């Protein structure tokens, strides 16, 4: 493969301005991320200490192999919900290495509302277990939860993808012969009791761990019986009387040592075979991405410059370089794994849509994972393009992409608007992982277009009522819509709602993709087959 020839001038004024703008955004992002991970009221930390409990981050450190990476998902989940009082949605999820094996990890954060499950907590756990199912990843559950947050029970309990989906997904994993281990370091109450009960193995820490469908207050209210926590659901009772628990540990340190011993006995999965090559670092400095991404989101940039700072050796075999030029397609390697890349260099026209459909089929034919780099305003609109069949050609791209059997991964590097989000493997199209960069946006359309559209509808309605509006009155209608929409399409809103798997510092993209690809290869890759293409 040839090395991409970069045309970036790192001394140019525009580059330096872009670099300064991105580093400013990243300073805010890293501060938010650190707060979500580590900053807690002292009273909550004191409470854990009194209970002789470790923090969730200390627990992860004891579980994971020393010096190995942890691909954390949705660190800033719920950052714009619940008045900002539930950092990380009260749970840590991700993919880590335990005894040399890739495992999905779900760990309740008891420093946040006692580990209670909020609606977004449930959504985050379900997403983690979906990832485990898609990639056939073993799961380790670190359980310490006060149960569902009752004031918001309507968003926790009844619907298809709420609390019950956690337990349903556990049963699916079991049916697939994918092992699960639960470490009970605190209370597992009500529905949460089923997490360790549905796991293949579980460990309960004496004195702090407990499993029960109803805690002592509920038992007393329902039956009048008075019983203590340990008698009702403690480690000794469950490991010697009920059989609900498998192992009891005298301390958390012993529990995690035992957990690592159990994981070491699990059968290693047979990785799917894809083409690989010796690993090379990118030829160009990945930190130059900061100066490549424009400070103004509407300014176009060449996605080849982005690819050059992520792939091995900055080498890229471009497919159909002179056709459908608003979409860059080609082959590269990331940490040695061969991948097919689709990256937007403008709006999707008929030719770029057809190019995408054919390239996607080639990658499926060769069992080559797909990576989508989004900077897309959508498919081209207008009479000329409708006559050429843009809807039909876009449908071909969607059919090829949706019918893919190879693992797919998506990075929203800038804009992600309209149906272009779908064609480029947005959230609804089953990317194994989907990450955003801090300045990225996602919405039906850009903020200004949306504000103008909604304001124009309101203005025409008032004009039909014979109301003449001044420029100031029109601005008074438009500006609030614009401000609200700008916030709605921001990456922080997306990640708060778990529409993505987290925001990434651009320089971390290469590693996040490599870990995602490696984990995805735990699942077999089928032979390609498609639906009907409208010709």
């Amino acid at each position: 493969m040839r090395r991409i020839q970069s045309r970036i001038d790192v001394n140019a004024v525009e580059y330096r301005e872009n670099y300064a703008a991105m580093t400013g955004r990243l300073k805010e992002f890293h501060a938010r991320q650190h707060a979500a991970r580590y900053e807690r009221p002292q009273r909550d930390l004191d409470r854990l200490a009194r209970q002789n409990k470790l923090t969730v981050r200390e627990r992860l450190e004891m579980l994971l192999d020393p010096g190995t990476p942890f691909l954390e998902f949705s660190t800033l989940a719920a950052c714009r919900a619940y008045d900002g009082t539930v950092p990380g949605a009260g749970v840590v999820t991700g993919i880590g290495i335990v005894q040399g094996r890739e495992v999905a990890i779900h760990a309740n954060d008891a420093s946040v509302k006692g580990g209670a499950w909020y609606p977004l907590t449930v959504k985050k756990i379900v997403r983690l277990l979906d990832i485990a199912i898609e990639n056939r990843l073993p799961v380790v559950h670190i359980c310490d939860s006060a149960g569902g947050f009752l004031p918001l029970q309507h968003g926790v309990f009844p619907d298809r993808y709420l609390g019950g989906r956690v337990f349903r997904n556990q049963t699916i994993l079991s049916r697939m012969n994918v092992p699960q281990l639960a470490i009970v370091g605190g209370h597992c109450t009500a529905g949460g009791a089923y997490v360790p009960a549905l796991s293949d193995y579980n460990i309960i820490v004496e004195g702090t761990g407990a499993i029960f469908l109803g805690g002592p207050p509920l038992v007393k209210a329902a039956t009048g019986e008075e019983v203590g926590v340990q008698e009702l659901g403690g480690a000794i009772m469950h490991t010697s009387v009920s059989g609900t628990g498998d192992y009891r540990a005298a301390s958390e340190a012993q529990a995690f040592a035992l957990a690592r011993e159990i994981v070491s006995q699990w059968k290693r999965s047979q990785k799917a075979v894809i083409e690989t090559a010796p690993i090379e670092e990118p030829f160009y400095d990945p930190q130059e991405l900061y100066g490549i991404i424009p400070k103004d989101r509407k300014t176009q940039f060449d996605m080849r410059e982005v690819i050059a700072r992520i792939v091995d050796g900055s080498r890229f075999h471009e497919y159909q370089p002179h056709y459908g030029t608003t979409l860059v397609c080609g082959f590269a390697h990331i940490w040695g794994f061969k991948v097919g890349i689709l990256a937007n260099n403008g709006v999707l026209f008929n030719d770029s849509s057809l190019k995408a459909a054919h390239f996607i089929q080639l990658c499926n034919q060769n069992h080559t994972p797909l990576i989508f780099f989004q900077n897309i305003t959508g498919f081209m609109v207008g009479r000329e393009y409708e006559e050429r069949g843009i809807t039909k050609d876009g449908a071909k791209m969607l059919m090829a992409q949706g019918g893919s059997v190879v693992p797919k991964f998506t990075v929203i590097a800038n804009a992600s608007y309209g149906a272009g989000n779908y064609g480029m493997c947005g959230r609804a199209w089953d990317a194994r992982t989907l990450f955003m960069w801090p300045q990225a946006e996602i919405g039906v359309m850009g903020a200004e277009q949306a504000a103008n559209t909604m304001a124009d509808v309101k203005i025409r309605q008032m004009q039909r009522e014979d109301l003449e509006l001044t420029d100031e009155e029109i601005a008074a209608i438009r500006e609030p819509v614009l401000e609200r929409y700008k916030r709605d399409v921001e990456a922080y809103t997306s990640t708060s709602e778990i529409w993505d798997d987290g925001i990434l510092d651009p320089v971390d993209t290469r590693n996040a993709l490599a870990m995602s690809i490696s984990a995805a290869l735990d699942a077999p890759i089928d032979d390609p087959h498609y639906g009907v293409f409208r010709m």
Side-chain angles (χ1 to χ4, degrees):
M1 294 183 184
R2 295 180 180 177
R3 178 172 295 141
I4 293 173
Q5 296 302 307
S6 177
R7 295 180 172 84
I8 295 298
D9 179 3
V10 298
N11 295 312
V13 172
E14 183 181 19
Y15 175 91
R16 291 171 179 257
E17 290 176 347
N18 291 341
Y19 197 102
M22 179 60 83
T23 52
R25 291 190 188 99
L26 288 170
K27 184 177 181 181
E28 177 191 4
F29 164 63
H30 287 303
R32 285 175 176 244
Q33 192 175 59
H34 184 273
R37 286 174 171 167
Y38 300 107
E39 295 177 13
R40 299 290 183 270
Q42 189 60 45
R43 66 179 183 276
D44 291 324
L45 298 177
D46 292 342
R47 171 173 50 81
L48 293 184
R50 286 195 306 271
Q51 295 170 343
N52 200 29
K53 291 181 181 179
L54 299 175
T55 67
V56 68
R57 300 287 166 180
E58 290 170 332
R59 288 170 168 174
L60 286 172
E61 188 173 343
M62 297 188 78
L63 175 68
L64 297 170
D65 290 358
T68 58
F70 177 58
L71 180 60
E72 185 172 349
F73 297 131
S74 303
T75 309
L76 296 179
C79 67
R80 288 187 167 172
Y82 320 126
D83 297 322
T85 61
V86 189
V91 64
V92 178
T93 64
I95 297 173
I97 311 298
V98 180
Q99 297 289 61
R101 294 157 173 81
E102 291 162 325
V103 299
I105 299 170
H106 145 225
N108 298 120
D109 186 349
S111 71
V112 180
K113 310 295 184 182
W117 286 10
Y118 283 70
L120 287 171
T121 313
V122 171
K123 187 174 183 180
K124 188 170 174 178
I125 298 170
V126 170
R127 172 60 184 155
L128 185 277
L129 295 180
D130 282 343
I131 289 171
I133 290 169
E134 290 170 338
N135 300 295
R136 293 181 180 266
L137 288 175
V139 182
V140 175
H141 306 271
I142 303 176
C143 305
D144 190 349
S145 173
F149 185 66
L150 293 180
L152 296 178
Q153 66 85 29
H154 61 283
V156 172
F157 173 71
D159 206 359
R160 181 176 184 181
Y161 292 101
L162 301 185
R165 198 74 173 185
V166 173
F167 317 126
R168 174 267 187 190
N169 279 2
Q170 286 190 263
T171 67
I172 298 301
L173 286 163
S174 184
R175 188 177 73 191
M176 295 166 62
N177 292 320
V178 176
Q180 297 175 75
L181 163 66
I183 304 159
V184 181
H187 289 186
C188 292
T189 307
Y194 288 108
V195 174
L198 289 168
S199 296
D200 304 282
Y201 308 82
N202 67 51
I203 303 164
I204 311 179
V205 180
E206 288 188 51
T208 57
I211 302 170
F212 31 55
L213 294 180
L218 179 59
V219 170
K220 183 176 180 180
T223 69
E225 180 185 8
E226 293 192 12
V227 60
V229 168
Q230 295 305 314
E231 294 79 14
L232 182 64
I236 293 175
M237 191 282 288
H238 276 313
T239 56
S240 61
V241 179
S242 75
T244 301
D246 298 323
Y247 306 90
R248 64 175 179 256
S251 65
E252 291 204 34
Q254 184 184 13
F256 283 100
L258 183 55
R260 289 178 51 81
E261 185 177 333
I262 291 168
V263 172
S264 72
Q265 300 176 59
W266 289 349
K267 179 182 177 182
R268 293 182 183 273
S269 60
Q270 185 69 40
K271 291 279 190 180
V273 178
I274 65 171
E275 184 183 327
T276 58
I279 299 170
E280 292 183 77
E281 290 295 317
F283 179 77
Y284 302 105
D285 184 355
Q287 202 158 349
E288 290 174 359
L289 290 167
Y290 297 167
I292 292 169
I293 305 302
K295 62 179 182 178
D296 182 350
R297 198 171 291 99
K298 292 177 286 187
T299 301
Q300 190 63 39
F301 60 95
D302 188 352
M303 270 290 190
R304 295 175 186 84
E305 300 288 359
V306 171
I307 295 168
R309 286 152 182 86
I310 290 177
V311 303
D312 289 9
S314 304
R315 302 180 191 279
F316 185 60
H317 173 85
E318 188 166 351
Y319 173 73
Q320 289 191 323
H322 305 297
Y323 178 74
T325 54
T326 59
L327 185 71
V328 176
C329 298
F331 298 101
H333 292 82
I334 294 179
W335 276 91
F337 298 116
K338 184 180 179 182
V339 296
I341 295 175
L342 296 92
N344 300 119
N345 254 8
V347 69
L348 286 165
F349 289 93
N350 298 72
D351 53 1
S352 46
S353 301
L354 293 171
K355 173 180 172 179
H358 191 74
F359 180 72
I360 289 169
Q361 291 179 76
L362 293 178
C363 290
N364 275 265
Q365 181 188 62
N366 291 304
H367 283 191
T368 303
L370 289 163
I371 296 177
F372 297 81
F373 283 99
Q374 290 195 17
N375 180 26
I376 181 65
T377 56
F379 290 88
M380 191 60 190
V381 297
R383 177 178 174 178
E384 175 187 352
Y385 301 99
E386 294 294 352
E387 287 178 346
R388 291 186 190 177
I390 184 63
T391 304
K392 183 172 65 174
D393 292 339
K396 293 185 180 75
M397 181 179 179
L398 292 171
M399 188 65 73
Q401 193 261 103
S404 291
V405 295
V406 297
K408 300 179 293 184
F409 311 90
T410 301
V411 177
I412 300 179
N414 201 46
S416 179
Y417 301 138
N421 168 274
Y422 302 158
M424 292 296 293
C425 197
R427 187 61 142 180
W429 291 80
D430 297 328
R432 300 291 180 94
T433 55
L434 183 151
F435 298 106
M436 297 185 76
W437 287 355
Q439 87 296 342
E441 289 187 351
I442 182 169
V444 174
M445 60 184 74
E448 290 188 5
Q449 297 93 321
N452 287 336
T453 299
M454 291 187 283
D456 286 346
V457 170
K458 179 67 174 176
I459 291 166
R460 286 197 299 270
Q461 178 186 352
M462 296 179 73
Q463 288 174 340
R464 284 196 297 269
E465 297 171 1
D466 294 327
L467 296 174
E468 292 297 327
L469 300 175
T470 65
D471 290 344
E472 290 77 11
E473 289 170 329
I474 292 173
I477 293 172
R478 182 180 180 275
E479 290 306 316
V481 175
L482 178 61
E483 289 307 310
R484 187 181 77 247
Y485 202 91
K486 279 183 177 178
R487 181 179 173 87
D488 287 348
V489 299
E490 285 181 345
Y492 288 115
T493 296
S494 171
T495 211
S496 178
E497 295 295 322
I498 317 181
W499 299 338
D500 55 57
D501 293 312
I503 298 174
L504 288 178
D505 183 324
V507 301
D508 293 330
T509 305
R510 169 178 163 84
N511 290 343
L513 287 173
M515 288 191 70
S516 299
I517 295 166
S518 179
L521 298 180
D522 278 12
I525 299 175
D526 199 359
D527 289 327
H529 45 273
Y530 299 99
V532 175
F533 285 76
R534 183 175 293 278
M535 306 305 292

